Amino acid sequence: MSTQPRPVYVIGAGPGGLAVAAALRARGVRVVIVEKSESVGASWRRHYDRLHLHTTRRLSALPGLAMPRRFGRWVARENVVRYLEKYAEFHDLELVTGVEVTRIEPAGPATDGADGSDGSQQTGWTLHATGGRVMTAGAVVVATGFNHTPVIPDWPGRDAYVDTYGGVLAHAADYRNPAPYAGRDVLVVGVGNTGAEIAVDLADGGAARVRLAVRTAPHILRRSTAGWPAQRTGILVRRLPVGLVDRLGAIVGKASVPDLSAYGLPRPTAGLYSRVKQGSIPVQDVGLIDAVRAGRVEPVAAVESFDGAEVVLADGSRITPDVVIAATGYRRALEGLVGDLDVLDERGRPRTHGARTAPHAPGLHFTGFTNPISGMFRELALDARKIAKAVARTLGD
């Protein structure tokens, strides 16, 4: 290991942070991971029990350690956690848990200008953390995760529905399994991968009725067709022209996915890859198609508001479910951490990603803040190697 006076700090001990740390350590760079929870893979520990990777085991390994074959082709949530634990142990990563980094700021210029320079060259970063801790880093990698802070829309009447009428409204982040909802009428709001899978889980687990509120009809893909995973197709097409992929996607969709229009889930009008570029990833079918066709999951219009104990839908209809589960996404919540550094766009997303850094923020990297069609774990692994190469080169200058 090198003896550089200031280590590289990685914020977050999820798959992205662990991968970058391992790649840096392989290059002889001292790296310290700071994690606000008490263990690695905190977000994966909180996910619902049914969850599996939608990408194959072989294409989901992080740098330097394969996933065991016994995990199967589609790795279950609990095995992802085991893998991340083993990964940190295998690479002997330096990990500090129970500490949250709250703000990052430049450490200051390299000189005071006394040598004739303008004193503007930045020499690193200062990290402020809980407990009054202050750490100085040669470089920083922010890997706090795509799914950081749950968001529930501020629907009109929402608070009264819960506080006055005793309605049950929860975010999908709080869902674990269908047992508490057996025999109940449940409305799941949002038809991304999380909402679709939770709806199927509820239907399989004994909920009396499951409805799925849909604002924009999603593209639905088979996770695997004749043994060929959708992920491999995503890898092959990700650099092709958007229009071409849209046309190919429409052909494949019609051939492999039945038309669910009669069930309230029409084919989307916008192209598949056009939607991906806008941040909408296709839904991988893990039972949704069969559940919709069998009537076990009922697509309904989007939620517009709450009126007393009723949920008002966009088509004017009103329903009274026992429980509403909002699979309505997350915020990256980076504003408090780096909001003063002009590195975020108007939607709070990092302007640069991976090996690239903003010109005015050298040595400040971000990973894991996109949702690629080619697979999150695969892209995290590729990012990790690129970031490690860039950081090692910068620290060596």
Side-chain angles (χ1 to χ4, degrees):
M1 301 297 290
S2 70
T3 57
Q4 78 264 17
R6 291 177 297 185
V8 174
Y9 279 92
V10 173
I11 305 173
L18 296 176
V20 170
L24 283 165
R25 198 177 190 284
R27 288 180 171 270
V29 176
R30 185 188 172 206
V31 54
V32 179
I33 306 171
V34 183
E35 166 59 45
K36 70 176 182 179
S37 72
E38 297 301 326
S39 55
V40 303
S43 64
W44 277 91
R45 296 174 190 275
R46 294 192 299 267
H47 285 316
Y48 50 94
D49 297 344
R50 179 191 180 104
L51 180 63
H52 287 65
L53 285 177
H54 291 164
T55 54
T56 66
R57 170 182 52 81
R58 294 183 65 182
L59 293 175
S60 301
L62 301 178
L65 184 66
M67 287 189 173
R69 292 187 64 182
R70 68 178 183 276
F71 286 177
R73 193 180 198 195
W74 312 105
V75 182
R77 178 198 63 83
E78 62 269 23
N79 285 332
V80 172
V81 173
R82 292 189 182 100
Y83 173 72
L84 296 179
E85 291 173 339
K86 183 63 178 179
Y87 192 85
E89 177 187 348
F90 179 82
H91 289 289
D92 195 21
L93 300 180
E94 191 172 345
L95 178 65
V96 178
T97 60
V99 174
E100 181 179 7
V101 177
T102 56
R103 190 172 82 257
I104 301 172
E105 60 185 22
T111 69
D112 59 5
D115 60 354
S117 70
D118 62 6
S120 62
Q121 182 181 356
Q122 187 182 315
T123 59
W125 297 92
T126 298
L127 282 62
H128 298 268
T130 51
R133 298 173 178 85
V134 178
M135 300 163 282
T136 304
V140 178
V141 182
V142 180
T144 49
F146 190 84
N147 296 338
H148 187 276
T149 302
V151 173
I152 297 180
D154 189 17
W155 290 300
R158 183 192 72 178
D159 294 341
Y161 172 77
V162 175
D163 298 336
T164 304
Y165 295 93
V168 178
L169 173 62
H171 193 273
D174 299 316
Y175 178 87
R176 294 294 174 270
N177 59 64
Y181 309 99
R184 308 189 76 181
D185 183 333
V186 185
L187 172 67
V188 180
V189 184
V191 70
N193 277 295
T194 297
E197 191 159 359
I198 287 177
V200 173
D201 197 34
L202 287 163
D204 292 345
R209 186 175 188 179
V210 180
R211 284 174 282 202
L212 181 60
V214 180
R215 183 170 298 279
T216 304
H219 286 275
I220 302 175
L221 298 177
R222 299 287 188 183
R223 187 168 63 176
S224 178
T225 302
W228 178 265
Q231 181 190 8
R232 287 197 178 275
T233 302
I235 294 170
L236 291 174
V237 306
R238 65 191 301 262
R239 300 192 185 281
L240 294 178
V242 173
L244 174 60
V245 179
D246 282 347
R247 291 192 292 273
L248 293 173
I251 294 171
V252 172
K254 289 180 180 179
S256 61
V257 177
D259 186 358
L260 300 175
S261 299
Y263 303 93
L265 204 58
R267 295 189 189 276
T269 54
L272 185 152
Y273 206 29
S274 294
R275 292 280 298 278
V276 169
K277 290 295 186 181
Q278 296 168 3
S280 178
I281 295 298
V283 171
Q284 299 264 357
D285 177 45
V286 289
L288 179 65
I289 293 173
D290 290 343
V292 168
R293 295 176 78 182
R296 297 187 302 115
V297 172
E298 308 168 47
V300 297
V303 172
E304 286 293 303
S305 63
F306 291 83
D307 184 8
E310 296 180 320
V311 180
V312 182
L313 304 181
D315 60 3
S317 61
R318 294 167 176 256
I319 59 176
T320 54
D322 299 322
V323 179
V324 178
I325 298 176
T328 46
Y330 297 78
R331 288 191 301 109
R332 296 162 184 83
L334 293 170
E335 291 79 5
L337 191 65
V338 296
D340 296 334
L341 301 177
D342 191 28
V343 294
L344 305 177
D345 65 14
E346 64 281 356
R347 294 173 59 186
R349 302 172 302 184
R351 298 182 189 276
T352 59
H353 203 268
R356 295 174 54 242
T357 62
H360 60 281
L364 178 60
H365 296 265
F366 296 87
T367 186
F369 295 97
T370 61
N371 198 5
I373 194 173
S374 49
M376 176 67 84
F377 272 55
R378 178 180 182 274
E379 295 303 319
L380 289 175
L382 295 174
D383 259 1
R385 295 184 177 97
K386 294 174 183 177
I387 292 172
K389 181 179 179 180
V391 169
R393 183 172 60 245
T394 300
L395 295 178
D397 290 344

